[in-house]
Amino acid sequence: MKNIIIFGAPGSGKGTYSDAIVERYGMGHISTGDVLRAEIKNETELGKVAQGYISNGQLIPDDLMIDILAKTYDAQPAGKGVIFDGFPRTIAQAEALKKMLAERGHEMGVMVELVVEEDILMARLLNRAKEQGRADDNEETIKKRFAVYQNQTAPLIDWFEREGIRHTFRWADTPNKEAMIESIFAFLDTVK
Ligand code: ATP
Ligand code: MG
């Protein structure tokens, strides 16, 4: 399988669909949010730095993220393709990803964009707060994350469009998790 970049606002389902894709196609999975939460849990130096940004709904600085991403990517099994979940989140990260992959003779592959209305995202994240107790899933921080997404991450949509790899899936068209997974699979089956 080619590499896949799964893209969308907080709560859009990146992690959920990534898990389904990994199960079907047997590829690697890099969730930068999960990497950072593991660092925080293990109380590493990186974790200490990341905690302040995450609990404020802010992005971790690009240079730090780009470094983490390259190390995590190089630790993945070769040749199976990787799904990038939560990265890139800025234009600088996207440029760095493209360069990092090119240096290894690899490509970005395809971008899967998840579009979900903001009121639905908020409801999902508040529900997740009850189930998982993530420190950044409270109404105030969620609003900050939405603003960060709009200002810093959404501009990437045009960037991917220009790269010619953007494929959009709208919750409003198939407001059902299984149906979303089916349409994403139907597309990915044509990619290989
Ligand atoms: P969801 O996983 O439900 O779509 P999300 O996108 O907010 O929600 P994560 O991807 O887990 O959640 O990210 C959580 C936090 O980790 C972000 O708000 C940010 O602080 C930090 N983070 C994760 N990835 C990056 C990145 N690529 N660049 C900078 N910060 C990041
Ligand atoms: Mg996630």
Side-chain angles (χ1 to χ4, degrees):
M1 178 51 89
K2 284 187 180 175
N3 288 324
I4 300 170
I5 296 164
I6 193 153
F7 184 94
S12 56
K14 298 186 292 289
T16 303
Y17 301 124
S18 293
D19 289 344
I21 292 167
V22 167
E23 196 178 323
R24 180 175 173 102
Y25 300 98
M27 52 201 310
H29 180 197
I30 300 178
S31 160
T32 46
D34 288 349
V35 170
L36 295 169
R37 282 184 288 276
E39 296 282 338
I40 292 173
K41 194 164 170 246
N42 295 329
E43 298 180 356
T44 65
E45 284 306 310
L46 170 60
K48 284 176 201 154
V49 175
Q51 188 158 31
Y53 291 100
I54 292 186
S55 56
N56 262 313
Q58 304 298 317
L59 297 182
I60 278 72
D62 283 335
D63 49 353
L64 208 56
M65 278 321 295
I66 289 164
D67 195 42
I68 296 169
L69 198 271
K71 284 190 188 123
T72 314
Y73 184 74
D74 288 334
Q76 296 289 317
K80 289 186 146 190
V82 164
I83 179 156
F84 297 99
D85 163 7
F87 190 101
R89 267 176 149 93
T90 63
I91 301 274
Q93 290 182 13
E95 298 284 2
L97 175 65
K98 192 178 166 187
K99 181 163 169 274
M100 189 271 287
L101 292 169
E103 282 166 2
R104 289 156 177 76
H106 302 169
E107 289 180 348
M108 287 190 292
V110 292
M111 179 257 204
V112 168
E113 179 195 9
L114 305 169
V115 179
V116 185
E117 309 312 318
E118 201 168 289
D119 54 337
I120 297 173
L121 295 172
M122 177 59 87
R124 284 185 190 173
L125 292 167
L126 291 175
N127 188 52
R128 188 169 76 185
K130 284 186 215 138
E131 287 170 0
Q132 298 177 14
R134 244 174 71 170
D136 56 347
D137 283 346
N138 58 76
E139 192 162 356
E140 193 193 336
T141 311
I142 293 166
K143 283 185 181 156
K144 284 192 200 162
R145 285 156 62 203
F146 286 166
V148 165
Y149 174 78
Q150 283 308 329
N151 295 330
Q152 301 189 53
T153 306
L156 274 174
I157 297 168
D158 282 344
W159 188 91
F160 282 112
E161 179 72 35
R162 287 196 300 276
E163 291 290 323
I165 61 171
R166 174 185 174 205
H167 300 270
T168 305
F169 297 85
R170 294 174 195 281
W171 177 257
D173 292 342
T174 38
N176 166 297
K177 190 172 110 181
E178 299 311 321
M180 279 287 283
I181 291 176
E182 284 314 313
S183 42
I184 293 171
F185 284 173
F187 162 63
L188 291 177
D189 283 346
T190 69
V191 170
K192 289 284 185 296

